[in-house]
Amino acid sequence: MLKTKQKKRRHFLYHVFAWVAYSIYYYAVNRLANEDITPSDAAVSVPFYALVCYAVYHILSRYFARGKYFWGITHLLAFYIAFGLLAHTFVYKIGPQLGVQFYSDDVDYSHQEFIQTIVLLLSNYSMFAIAYFFMRRDVEKANKLRIEAERRLEEVEARLAIEKEKQRYEYVALTGQVSPHLQVNLLNRWIVLLKDSFSDLAAEIDKAYQIIQYYMRAHTMDGAHTVTLKQEVKQLEFYIELFNISGSAKKYIVFEKDTRLAGYSIPPTTLMTFFENATKHGVVSNPDKPIQMKIRTDAQGVTFTCTNSVSNKVPFVSHGVGLANLKRRLTLKYGNSYQLKYGKTGDAFTVTLFIKS
């Protein structure tokens, strides 16, 4: 708003300066042919010329620019007639009373000469108005084209920036898979070496191998959007088994699930994310407060809950990223057809996920 006001004020001052300069020019040129002309004569005459220019320009902009030619011609004729009457009144009645003389007393009044003078004046300054009208129109068109070109350039730059950012994330994602690929290759090698002599150990390594592969497939751009609930539960059970055998301390984990899991799907690693969060920030060594996970299915959908007690001496710092990222994935997939709630009550942290069928 402030810039618009400043622009209008600057535009007004340009016009004022232009007419002041024209008044000086008008006086100087007419002084060469008529020594009796005074600066006051020029100061009185030029505003009438400006009136013609701005009136004609306004009519052109109001009617001709919008294709209303009949009304434009009608208003032009009406203005010319009104201006002629005004000029006649001012030249022969008001001007002399103000001490401004536009004609010589030695010359008899002639309607024909007056009309010729008015027509010439209107023609000249109407041409100025027409020229200014077309110049402004061309400038406005050029400005619109410039603004449109700048807008398109900004859109192209924004798309390029998005593409560049996408490529950067893709590069980071690909580099992030170097380590998982190395892990699965090593695990696969160990399975081959140990399966004959240490079959139990090879079986556990095979579970870890499958979990890592599952994570890799789930986090690729062309990976499946969902997996069956049975697949997710199977990987979660592998994960729980591996977690139980790690370390010397006993873990207490309760996992309850309905027998009917067929017909339901879920984004991969969803339940595993909840379990990771619970084992990272919760207490797993208290038999009175085990990690409790439940899956319930019915006609409305599938509900998963995970509850863990929270210790004040958790070795990991919570960044709030895991659940936030998962919530975003669920929103992109299901929109409003899911509910995810999580929070702390006392020393227990509970996550509840419901996905509508």
Side-chain angles (χ1 to χ4, degrees):
M1 182 64 70
L2 181 60
K3 289 184 178 180
T4 303
K5 289 183 178 179
Q6 291 177 345
K7 186 177 180 180
K8 288 182 177 179
R9 182 173 179 273
R10 187 166 57 248
H11 187 70
F12 173 77
L13 292 176
Y14 286 159
H15 281 254
V16 171
F17 292 147
W19 283 111
V20 170
Y22 180 77
S23 299
I24 297 172
Y25 166 79
Y26 176 83
Y27 169 74
V29 170
N30 284 274
R31 178 73 178 177
L32 296 175
N34 181 11
E35 294 182 355
D36 295 332
I37 191 172
T38 64
S40 61
D41 294 334
V44 172
S45 300
V46 169
F48 283 92
Y49 307 154
L51 174 62
V52 175
C53 284
Y54 289 121
V56 174
Y57 175 77
H58 176 74
I59 293 171
L60 292 173
S61 302
R62 181 75 178 273
Y63 299 104
F64 285 91
R66 301 178 182 180
K68 300 178 180 180
Y69 301 111
F70 172 78
W71 290 109
I73 293 172
T74 302
H75 280 78
L76 274 179
L77 292 175
F79 169 73
Y80 287 154
I81 294 171
F83 182 84
L85 296 174
L86 174 65
H88 186 274
T89 303
F90 188 85
V91 170
Y92 293 102
K93 292 183 179 181
I94 299 176
Q97 295 178 3
L98 298 176
V100 180
Q101 194 76 16
F102 290 97
Y103 59 92
S104 175
D105 294 332
D106 299 333
V107 179
D108 294 333
Y109 172 76
S110 171
H111 283 292
Q112 182 178 356
E113 291 183 359
F114 176 77
I115 293 174
Q116 288 176 345
T117 302
I118 291 299
V119 170
L120 181 63
L121 184 153
L122 291 172
S123 300
N124 289 338
Y125 292 98
S126 292
M127 291 302 297
F128 290 164
I130 293 172
Y132 181 66
F133 168 75
F134 282 107
M135 182 194 72
R136 284 293 301 271
R137 190 178 67 171
D138 291 341
V139 170
E140 290 176 357
K141 286 183 178 179
N143 284 333
K144 288 181 180 179
L145 291 174
R146 176 182 58 81
I147 293 173
E148 179 64 18
E150 290 177 351
R151 185 187 65 80
R152 291 183 178 180
L153 179 61
E154 290 177 355
E155 289 180 353
V156 171
E157 289 177 346
R159 287 197 294 268
L160 290 175
I162 292 173
E163 184 64 25
K164 185 176 181 181
E165 189 70 6
K166 178 182 177 182
Q167 291 177 357
R168 188 177 72 85
Y169 277 113
E170 184 178 1
Y171 177 81
V172 171
L174 291 174
T175 56
Q177 287 193 17
V178 172
S179 179
H181 275 296
L182 178 61
Q183 293 175 22
V184 295
N185 289 334
L186 287 174
L187 290 175
N188 192 36
R189 177 63 176 168
W190 291 343
I191 292 171
V192 173
L193 294 175
L194 297 174
K195 66 178 181 180
D196 294 331
S197 303
F198 302 93
S199 57
D200 293 340
L201 179 57
E204 299 301 330
I205 295 176
D206 183 61
K207 293 176 183 177
Y209 171 79
Q210 292 185 46
I211 291 175
I212 294 175
Q213 277 197 323
Y214 185 71
Y215 263 94
M216 288 172 58
R217 288 194 302 269
H219 290 82
T220 55
M221 293 296 294
D222 56 348
H225 292 293
T226 59
V227 295
T228 64
L229 186 57
K230 280 187 175 182
Q231 288 178 294
E232 179 73 6
V233 168
K234 178 182 178 181
Q235 297 300 325
L236 177 57
E237 289 174 338
F238 284 167
Y239 201 168
I240 294 172
E241 289 181 25
L242 291 175
F243 182 77
N244 279 327
I245 64 174
S246 63
S248 56
K250 185 173 178 58
K251 285 87 169 176
Y252 296 92
I253 301 169
V254 177
F255 184 21
E256 301 177 8
K257 60 182 184 295
D258 284 349
T259 56
R260 183 177 178 274
L261 300 178
Y264 299 91
S265 62
I266 193 170
T269 73
T270 297
L271 306 186
M272 299 173 72
T273 299
F274 295 146
F275 180 69
E276 280 184 331
N277 194 67
T279 56
K280 179 180 179 181
H281 304 292
V283 177
V284 296
S285 58
N286 187 346
D288 297 326
K289 297 180 178 180
I291 293 177
Q292 294 183 330
M293 295 180 295
K294 296 180 181 179
I295 296 180
R296 295 289 181 264
T297 59
D298 53 33
Q300 282 71 42
V302 57
T303 302
F304 176 81
T305 59
C306 180
T307 302
N308 61 272
S309 59
V310 180
S311 173
N312 295 327
K313 298 181 180 180
V314 178
F316 301 102
V317 178
S318 176
H319 301 96
V321 176
L323 291 178
N325 285 351
L326 177 59
K327 187 173 183 179
R328 179 58 179 163
R329 287 173 58 199
L330 292 168
T331 300
L332 292 173
K333 175 60 183 175
Y334 296 108
N336 296 324
S337 299
Y338 85 98
Q339 292 178 357
L340 176 62
K341 299 179 182 179
Y342 51 86
K344 184 179 177 183
T345 303
D347 66 344
F349 185 87
T350 301
V351 177
T352 302
L353 170 64
F354 170 73
I355 299 177
K356 188 176 180 180
S357 296

